[in-house]
Amino acid sequence: SLVLWTRLSTTEADDRAFAEEGLPQQATQYGEILLEGVMDMLWRVGARPGDRFYDLGSGAGRASMVAWLLGLRSTGAELARSRFEAACQGVDALESLLTSASFAPRVAGLPARVPSGLDFVRCNALQLDVSDADVVFLSSVAFTPELMEQFGVALRSLRPGARVVSFKPVPGPGFQMLGHFTAPSSWNYTWSAEWCVQVVAGAGAGGA
């Protein structure tokens, strides 16, 4: 909705933070894969309870929250303070909801959630250590080719078998394309975006 989009738009302070980190202005643009798309994504990459999930550029944190609800250990990284604070507020609301008697039956059939398995960090996602990741998600619709190259370098620490889901493929010889899937997004609720699924092959994304 318009109200939701306004709340998640960057402030002038957010824009300065991106500029100070040397990130392109396009990186401040925000949109989300919808909740059903997150669940489909995790199923398609074979995510299992206990797996380590990272959302790099997590915005309001919905993908990270869904991953945690499905039993993963989940971290969202977001540089924009306004969006990071929205995610933290969302965690508080989620915890209240999960403890309410009326909502508990709705999640009774989900995998056990990892205690303290959901967190958000305010940082440049390029600098976050994700070497223990099983699944990394990048909502890279507005990312420039140069920024994708930077992520290709930043994700070299990923171990073999780790899966990367991104709108644009992460460049580099260690990333092997597995396929694509479509999922609805917040940019246009009637349009399903196509997402790439890559796996870290061989000796890992950093090479032998």
Side-chain angles (χ1 to χ4, degrees):
S1 68
L2 178 60
V3 173
L4 178 63
W5 183 261
T6 300
R7 182 169 64 86
L8 294 179
S9 296
T10 53
T11 65
E12 290 184 4
D14 292 331
D15 293 342
R16 286 195 299 271
F18 276 79
E20 289 169 0
E21 291 289 332
L23 298 171
Q25 191 277 333
Q26 294 96 315
T28 66
Q29 297 180 29
Y30 180 68
E32 294 181 330
I33 183 173
L34 300 188
L35 301 188
E36 59 268 34
V38 177
M39 292 186 285
D40 186 39
M41 168 185 70
L42 295 174
W43 175 78
R44 288 177 181 273
V45 301
R48 299 173 295 181
D51 278 359
R52 193 71 172 94
F53 174 84
Y54 289 91
D55 182 359
L56 303 184
S58 52
R62 293 179 181 85
S64 296
M65 293 181 203
V66 171
W68 178 68
L69 285 171
L70 295 177
L72 282 70
R73 295 174 293 131
S74 183
T75 294
E78 176 58 55
L79 181 58
R81 182 178 295 278
S82 59
R83 294 169 182 165
F84 167 75
E85 291 176 348
C88 294
Q89 293 167 7
V91 172
D92 293 339
L94 178 60
E95 290 177 342
S96 297
L97 188 62
L98 291 173
T99 56
S100 67
S102 60
F103 191 77
R106 303 184 185 183
V107 295
L110 294 177
R113 293 180 293 280
V114 179
S116 303
L118 172 63
D119 70 317
F120 291 96
V121 292
R122 181 175 176 262
C123 69
N124 181 343
L126 289 166
Q127 299 170 1
L128 186 67
D129 180 8
V130 296
S131 57
D132 64 337
D134 296 294
V135 181
V136 173
F137 177 61
L138 287 171
S139 184
S140 57
V141 174
F143 288 5
T144 62
E146 293 77 16
L147 184 55
M148 291 305 300
E149 290 285 349
Q150 288 179 279
F151 271 107
V153 173
L155 297 179
R156 286 179 181 173
S157 64
L158 290 174
R159 57 194 174 187
R163 284 87 74 203
V164 180
V165 180
S166 178
F167 183 81
K168 298 174 181 176
V170 176
F175 300 99
Q176 177 182 330
M177 184 66 69
L178 289 180
H180 301 79
F181 70 97
T182 58
S185 69
S186 63
W187 300 282
N188 186 333
Y189 291 95
T190 63
W191 172 67
S192 289
E194 185 174 80
W195 302 87
C196 305
V197 181
Q198 295 169 281
V199 65
V200 177

